[in-house]
């Protein structure tokens, strides 16, 4: 156990975590690096150049004649996947904090750092990309010293591209990161920090042993679910899985025990022996708070059960996804899913398509509201189509959040303008240190759901970090905005919005749909309505054949006769024709700016 080191790599997005991980793997001769970002093994990660999943891998390193085992976990940098980071941190004793020498300390660097400090991790600061022409090593060193309060000589200058500083990083990991502590004689306690689904082997759980020893063939049980299994195969994670006969305290590894149903494996659960169970479970992770809710529906109705199975398998691999069944008039049966943000929602949609071959339609994201009727009854509504008739409603209450935004003083103005535009009320602001400010706002959750976070990031150049907690419900003047196509409401496009924004939003939505819905053989009227009142309208003109082409010369009545005949046909078409709304239209509503 003295020679084991478990550490993770944390940083802001695009500061070079995965590239540096490649160099460490190459230096320790764990693998031949054939392409960039070897640990990002999903197609999506390779294409977008972002890390979506945490990846664990074991390296062996010789230092002063002794062999050390280093377990590395590479984590995502994007805030929508911060839950992945919190789970990786729980399985480690140390962290490499990587800061880009050309960009300096950024918001996600700070929030990931606070997460690591809460778990008492040993932090090794690394300044990456020192070989770049735009690097400012001295200024960035000052920022790191301010942030961590460490000495200047503790900061390692490195470059993931050229491999500079890699040896120093490995030495620092061995010298500074504490070895895992635990009792090998105690009953087995292992924390599950991730799991994947394999169609041949069932569900594979990844864990870290805090106490005790696990041997192949042991009878084990999962503490919280109470289910019992045989450990058919256990082992460690290199580029592939490498079987072992036993894993001891401090090891990170995997277990295959032929589990078939995904409900039985909960991330954050504890594995223990049946014969000598541990007294209590290890403290897991906090429950995750979804930010955005949206309906996900299969395009073919008979794919409903397949969609459920696919979502369950995705949930194994991404525990921050939540879902429950719901139904819609236009789209049939589907699920109301909770996501951590819009990027998360986009990635889940892509993964459903690629990994499970499921084509889905996603509705406009929203939050839940409380609706009080005139008899004094209260009903909670997650979906605008579930709203009672406007004449029966006394008032509607919407959820508010207490938002705290941490930023540097240069961006206070634009951030306040953004919050006020989202109907926020300033509560207070506090100066933390130097030129950093924390601003507290009360904002309706519905306003931040769609694009608040993206706008906050862009106006603050990625500096502002944002956190929130629920702050009760308040009465609000909300109206239901319906979109009608040829007089028929499309329930998947209806939204609940504030009275002041409704007209503007309705008009923009009609314009957008006019661009996206393909022309038909008949006119299509797109209308936005509040109750019975139409507030905006656009018309998509029909596609017409030139029926008068064969008339040359002659009386005008011949042309008129042909046009009248065409008009009758168009009218009949309109009665039986229906308008297909393309998937793009549902997504476009999110990007209305």
């Amino acid at each position: 156990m003295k020679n084991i080191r478990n550490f993770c790599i944390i940083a802001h997005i695009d500061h070079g975590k995965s590239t540096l991980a490649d160099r460490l793997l190459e230096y320790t001769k764990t693998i031949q690096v054939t392409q960039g970002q070897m640990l990002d093994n999903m197609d999506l990660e390779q294409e977008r150049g972002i890390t979506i999943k945490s990846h664990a891998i074991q390296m062996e390193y010789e230092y002063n004649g002794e062999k050390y085992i280093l377990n590395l976990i590479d984590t995502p940098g994007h805030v929508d996947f911060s839950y992945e980071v919190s789970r990786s941190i729980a399985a480690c004793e140390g962290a490499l904090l990587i800061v880009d020498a050309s960009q300096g300390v950024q918001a996600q660097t700070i929030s990931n750092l606070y997460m690591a400090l809460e778990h008492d991790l040993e932090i090794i600061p690394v300044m990456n990309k020192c070989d770049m022409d735009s690097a400012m090593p001295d200024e960035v060193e000052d920022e790191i010293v301010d942030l961590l309060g460490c000495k200047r000589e503790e900061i390692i200058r490195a470059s993931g591209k050229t491999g500079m500083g890699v040896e120093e990083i490995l030495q620092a990991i061995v010298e500074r990161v504490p070895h895992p502590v635990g009792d090998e004689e105690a009953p087995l306690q292992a924390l599950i920090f991730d799991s994947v689904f394999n169609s041949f082997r069932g569900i594979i759980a990844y864990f870290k042993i805090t106490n005790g020893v696990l041997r192949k063939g042991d009878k084990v049980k999962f503490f919280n679910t109470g289910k019992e299994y045989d450990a058919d195969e256990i082992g460690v994670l290199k580029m592939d899985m490498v079987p072992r006969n036993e894993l001891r305290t401090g090891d990170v590894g995997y277990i295959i025990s032929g589990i078939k149903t995904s409900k039985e494996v909960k991330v954050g659960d504890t594995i223990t022996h049946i014969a000598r169970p541990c007294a209590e479970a290890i403290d897991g992770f906090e429950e995750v708070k979804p930010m955005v809710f949206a309906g996900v529906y299969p395009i073919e109705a008979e794919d409903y059960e397949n969609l459920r199975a696919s979502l369950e398998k995705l949930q194994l691999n991404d525990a921050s996804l939540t879902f429950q069944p719901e139904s819609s008039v236009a789209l049939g049966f589907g699920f109301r899913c909770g996501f951590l943000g819009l990027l998360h929602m986009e990635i889940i949609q892509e993964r459903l398509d690629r990994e499970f071959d499921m084509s889905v339609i996603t509705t406009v994201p929203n939050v839940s509201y409380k609706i009080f009727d005139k008899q004094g009854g209260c009903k909670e509504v997650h979906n605008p189509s579930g709203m009672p008739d406007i004449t029966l409603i006394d008032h509607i209450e919407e959820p508010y959040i207490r938002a705290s935004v941490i930023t540097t003083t240069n961006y206070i103005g634009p951030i306040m303008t953004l919050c006020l535009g989202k109907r926020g009320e300033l509560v207070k602001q506090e100066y933390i240190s130097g030129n950093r400010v924390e601003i507290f706002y009360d904002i309706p959750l519905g306003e931040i759901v769609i694009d608040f976070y993206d706008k906050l990031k862009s106006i603050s150049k990625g500096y502002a970090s944002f956190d929130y907690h629920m702050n009760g419900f308040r009465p609000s003047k909300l109206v239901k905005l319906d979109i009608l196509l040829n007089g028929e409401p499309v329930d998947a496009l209806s939204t609940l919005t504030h009275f002041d924004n409704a007209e503007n939003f309705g008009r923009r939505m009609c314009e957008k749909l006019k661009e996206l819905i393909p022309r038909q053989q008949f006119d299509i009227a797109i209308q936005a309505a509040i109750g019975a009142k139409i507030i905006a309208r656009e018309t998509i003109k029909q596609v017409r054949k030139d029926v008068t082409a064969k008339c040359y010369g002659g009386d005008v009545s011949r042309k008129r006769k042909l046009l009248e005949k065409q008009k009758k046909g168009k009218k009949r078409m309109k009665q039986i024709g229906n308008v297909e709304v393309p998937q793009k239209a549902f997504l476009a509503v999110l990007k209305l700016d």
Side-chain angles (χ1 to χ4, degrees), residues 369 398 423 447 477-481 495-503 505-506 530:
Y369 297 93
E398 63 175 337
R423 303 189 301 170
E447 292 280 344
K477 195 174 180 188
L478 296 169
V479 289
K480 181 183 171 193
L481 181 73
T495 48
L496 274 174
T497 176
H498 195 262
F499 182 74
D500 300 341
N501 309 343
E503 198 165 318
F505 187 64
I530 296 173

Side-chain angles (χ1 to χ4, degrees), residues 112-131:
N112 287 344
L113 171 69
Y114 286 155
M115 229 187 277
L117 290 174
E118 274 170 28
H119 285 268
D120 294 334
L121 265 59
E122 178 62 42
I123 309 286
I124 301 176
V126 176
M127 190 162 53
N128 197 15
K129 305 192 187 180
C130 285
D131 59 319

Side-chain angles (χ1 to χ4, degrees), residues 464-569:
S465 52
F466 167 73
D467 192 29
Y468 78 101
H469 54 264
M470 295 306 294
N471 198 19
F473 284 75
R474 298 189 195 177
S476 190
K477 195 174 180 188
L478 296 169
V479 289
K480 181 183 171 193
L481 181 73
D482 284 315
I483 299 292
L484 314 174
L485 295 180
N486 282 343
E488 290 293 317
V490 183
D491 65 344
L493 285 175
S494 51
T495 48
L496 274 174
T497 176
H498 195 262
F499 182 74
D500 300 341
N501 309 343
E503 198 165 318
N504 185 14
F505 187 64
R507 191 168 295 126
R508 292 206 320 253
M509 212 137 132
C510 289
E511 286 164 9
K512 196 77 185 171
L513 288 173
K514 184 181 178 182
E515 292 167 24
L516 293 167
I517 294 177
R519 287 171 68 184
Q520 307 278 358
Q521 301 274 351
F522 48 89
D523 278 356
I524 304 172
I526 304 171
Q527 295 164 311
I530 296 173
K533 182 184 171 196
I534 304 289
I535 54 169
R537 168 174 173 139
E538 294 284 340
T539 309
I540 299 175
K541 293 315 265 179
Q542 61 198 15
V543 184
R544 296 175 44 174
K545 184 176 159 191
D546 187 0
V547 287
T548 59
K550 61 184 181 201
C551 297
Y552 48 95
D555 190 9
V556 73
S557 62
R558 290 179 62 198
K559 286 187 178 175
R560 176 109 0 104
K561 180 180 156 195
L562 289 167
L563 288 169
E564 286 297 324
K565 191 175 167 192
Q566 185 188 33
K567 199 167 162 188
K568 262 189 198 151

